[in-house]
Amino acid sequence: MSVGSVALVVTEEIDVPSWELYELSLPCTVFGKPQPDLADPWYDLRLCSTREPDPDAPANGTGLSLRTPYGLADLVGAGTVIVPSVPDACVDEGRPLQPELITALRRAHDAGARMVSLCTGAFALAEAGILDGRRATAHWMHTAQLAARYPKVRVDDSVLYVDDGDVLTSAGLTAGLDLCLHLVRRDLGAHVANQLARRMVVPAHRPGGQAQFIDQPMPATDDMGLAPVLDWARARLDQPLTVEHLARRAAMSPRTFYRRLQAATGVTPLQWLLNQRLRRAQSLLETTDLPIARIGELSGLGTANNLRHHFLKQIGVSPSDYRRAFPPT
């Protein structure tokens, strides 16, 4: 398989709950549909069933029939392995997971695959020992069970997702989409991830450290009190902006604006501004050959040294290293 291959584990049951189809569909949507104008080649998505492979199934089948020519043996050799969920009975009633699945996950991890879980998929990675000694998360309704059953895992129930390098875990539902887009951002850069999110009509980036317990799971882009001022701020990131400026533009008191933005996004207004400026800097690094100092000015992050400071702290690499990883095309 190519470096961009994604093996998606399909834990088949006679009656698959409808909510599990959502988490299964998220990686299919993000990784399964080619986007040649954004990046070519795109990911090679393969649904890998816990049942025996169907040799007559189409190789590119990602439909609800779940007929697939790929089985658990195909996890080994994939660049990324995603476990979207496990059956409820395995979480709530302690029913053992299939030994063949656990063995296949261990083999894929030992072979160097990037291991990913969405929601209760963390139970499979934990059972395989892949999460031992690592920080991980799942939907907050299941994190207590995860921590009790697997005491070697450092369970964090307060975040949307955890990126531990070669092992990534997410909370449930929309947090799974956040993690999938985060993977695209890691692999193909912020510009591609932002454009893909725009096509999916979802916010381009919610940091993994954002709390699971916010009042609204997605930024309130339809809130007429917030959306216009946030768009206004994005168009002026190179200018000095304060909470007072934004609150005045939104016709709110600073305290009200602070509270409403934090409720909608899970972060403070200043952190929201920093995130937007970093995204702008990433996009400029990927799409232009402007000097680092100029990118710092245009993104509102100031000097080249200030840009480097925030890049190293928030993204983990210098602007120069980031540009080398995602050179302008």
Side-chain angles (χ1 to χ4, degrees):
M1 292 187 185
S2 67
V3 175
S5 61
V6 174
L8 179 62
V9 175
V10 181
T11 307
E12 296 198 53
E13 296 283 290
I14 295 175
D15 296 309
V16 179
S18 57
W19 54 87
E20 290 187 9
L21 293 178
Y22 177 81
E23 274 140 0
L24 177 63
S25 70
L26 289 177
C28 289
T29 302
V30 173
F31 304 110
K33 182 179 180 181
Q35 306 284 346
D37 59 320
L38 295 182
D40 192 15
W42 195 247
Y43 295 87
D44 174 19
L45 177 68
R46 300 186 175 189
L47 272 63
C48 298
S49 174
T50 56
R51 292 183 179 179
E52 287 298 317
D54 180 354
D56 298 322
N60 61 347
T62 57
L64 290 180
S65 68
L66 300 182
R67 294 177 60 229
T68 173
Y70 305 111
L72 292 175
D74 295 291
L75 300 186
V76 179
T80 301
V81 172
I82 301 177
V83 186
S85 63
V86 299
D88 284 354
C90 297
V91 176
D92 300 328
E93 302 168 19
R95 193 184 80 186
L97 290 159
Q98 289 177 267
E100 298 83 0
L101 169 61
I102 302 307
T103 298
L105 291 173
R106 287 173 180 154
R107 290 182 59 207
H109 181 244
D110 290 343
R114 179 173 58 184
M115 308 300 291
V116 179
S117 68
L118 311 182
C119 196
T120 59
F123 283 77
L125 297 189
E127 182 66 24
I130 295 169
L131 299 183
D132 287 357
R134 293 179 182 263
R135 179 168 162 261
T137 195
H139 192 290
W140 62 267
M141 293 180 67
H142 304 298
T143 47
Q145 293 162 294
L146 182 66
R149 195 172 302 173
Y150 303 102
K152 293 183 180 180
V153 181
R154 295 186 290 116
V155 178
D156 188 342
D157 65 1
S158 67
V159 295
L160 295 178
Y161 58 85
V162 174
D163 181 343
D164 197 30
D166 61 335
V167 178
L168 301 93
T169 55
S170 84
L173 300 176
T174 55
L177 178 56
D178 291 320
L179 180 53
C180 288
L181 289 172
H182 173 71
L183 290 170
V184 175
R185 185 173 296 104
R186 269 185 45 172
D187 295 340
L188 299 172
H191 178 71
V192 170
N194 293 346
Q195 292 302 308
L196 180 60
R198 184 179 181 187
R199 291 179 183 183
M200 298 174 67
V201 199
V202 297
H205 186 210
R206 290 199 298 170
Q210 182 171 317
Q212 288 191 36
F213 303 99
I214 58 178
D215 291 338
Q216 301 177 47
M218 301 298 263
T221 53
D222 59 348
D223 183 336
M224 293 309 294
L226 285 180
V229 70
L230 298 185
D231 289 341
W232 178 86
R234 289 189 189 97
R236 294 164 175 79
L237 293 174
D238 59 332
Q239 302 175 21
L241 294 172
T242 66
V243 176
E244 288 73 19
H245 289 146
L246 300 179
R248 190 180 311 117
R249 183 77 185 183
M252 302 177 191
S253 70
R255 176 177 292 185
T256 298
F257 179 80
Y258 188 106
R259 175 175 49 80
R260 288 182 60 176
L261 182 63
Q262 188 165 38
T265 66
V267 296
T268 66
L270 291 180
Q271 184 62 51
W272 181 87
L273 276 172
L274 177 59
N275 292 341
Q276 299 303 309
R277 284 171 165 149
L278 284 168
R279 282 173 51 192
R280 172 69 59 80
Q282 287 176 295
S283 181
L284 290 171
L285 287 167
E286 294 171 23
T287 59
T288 75
D289 56 1
L290 291 171
I292 299 298
R294 183 58 178 155
I295 288 177
E297 295 171 0
L298 293 175
S299 63
L301 290 170
T303 65
N305 284 338
N306 201 42
L307 175 63
R308 291 189 190 96
H309 168 76
H310 287 295
F311 243 73
L312 287 168
K313 183 176 180 180
Q314 301 291 330
I315 299 175
V317 297
S318 70
S320 298
D321 287 341
Y322 187 87
R323 172 171 271 170
R324 278 192 286 271
F326 304 105
T329 56

